Amino acid sequence: MQPKYTMQERLGGGGQAEVFRGIAESMQGFKRVVAIKRVLPHLTSNPQFISMFLDEARLSLFLAHANIITVFDIGKFPNGDYFLVMEYVDGVDLKELIEHQLHKHGRFDIALAIFIIVECCKGLSYAHQLEHPETHAPLHIVHRDISPPNIMLSKNGEVKVVDFGLAKANSAVEITDEGVVKGKFAYLSP
């Protein structure tokens, strides 16, 4: 039986996709809370964007690390919208935590900042050093969009890097156009 996905509460989104808390239901009534990332409808007719989205899905299948969001499935709704089904993190993104810390304390706790950075580096290092499971060729995955909204923090203290949508890897199909900058300007490396 193919899992059935139901979107519930909208968690957020941007100019390319939106994320919902959802339920994955499979045989015998087994249910799991998941996050469903749906491509915005106006982009489903853009072959270049869909290719980039499918690249993210392909890369995500290789990634299995405690500090990286797990992707379970990819699909297409009957109306033609593409989606990814991912691990749901019960918590906040780093942007929300920074805003809360600054509002409540006027600063961000340095020990907490170091912990978050170290955990992110563990996941990013794993992705960059990962080899293709069949060919053992290095994938050299580089995230290219590390920013506070792409770092999730669970209520249990887990730190998870999300959204490898702009990642570049040896296995990627989509080639970046020369001179095109991808990522959030405020968080790009010099």
Side-chain angles (χ1 to χ4, degrees):
M1 174 185 169
Q2 194 71 359
K4 176 183 153 196
Y5 303 111
T6 307
M7 292 191 298
Q8 296 181 326
E9 165 191 9
R10 185 179 187 276
L11 301 174
Q16 301 175 340
E18 55 189 346
V19 179
F20 294 84
R21 187 172 56 80
I23 300 291
E25 186 174 353
S26 59
M27 55 188 275
Q28 308 246 336
F30 175 79
K31 293 181 181 182
R32 171 186 222 153
V33 176
V34 294
I36 300 172
K37 179 180 182 178
R38 180 182 72 125
V39 172
L40 292 177
H42 71 278
L43 292 171
T44 57
S45 61
N46 180 333
Q48 186 175 7
F49 180 81
I50 294 303
S51 178
M52 188 176 78
F53 180 76
L54 294 174
D55 281 347
E56 175 185 2
R58 281 184 205 97
L59 284 177
S60 298
L61 295 176
F62 294 119
L63 301 171
H65 189 274
N67 297 112
I68 298 175
I69 289 286
T70 302
V71 173
F72 302 123
D73 198 5
I74 184 170
K76 193 174 181 182
F77 289 118
N79 67 356
D81 292 348
Y82 287 87
F83 64 92
L84 286 176
V85 180
M86 306 175 290
E87 166 187 7
Y88 173 75
V89 176
D90 187 13
V92 298
D93 67 34
L94 182 55
K95 181 181 177 187
E96 292 173 82
L97 180 63
I98 289 170
E99 289 170 358
H100 174 77
Q101 289 279 314
L102 293 177
H103 177 73
K104 190 171 181 181
H105 305 290
R107 62 180 183 80
F108 196 84
D109 181 73
I110 190 73
L112 179 57
I114 292 169
F115 170 75
I116 293 168
I117 291 167
V118 167
E119 294 300 294
C120 287
C121 287
K122 288 177 186 177
L124 295 170
S125 175
Y126 161 83
H128 188 67
Q129 296 176 29
L130 188 64
E131 296 178 351
H132 191 287
E134 295 170 5
T135 66
H136 303 289
L139 293 173
H140 300 298
I141 298 171
V142 177
H143 190 287
R144 300 197 307 175
D145 193 18
I146 290 298
S147 59
N150 287 337
I151 299 168
M152 293 296 300
L153 305 130
S154 79
K155 291 179 180 176
N156 296 324
E158 301 160 307
V159 178
K160 305 258 185 184
V161 177
V162 302
D163 198 3
F164 276 79
L166 295 181
K168 186 171 186 175
N170 288 347
S171 66
V173 173
E174 183 64 38
I175 305 298
T176 301
D177 295 327
E178 192 172 321
V180 174
V181 176
K182 291 189 173 186
K184 293 177 187 73
F185 184 75
Y187 297 98
L188 294 175
S189 61

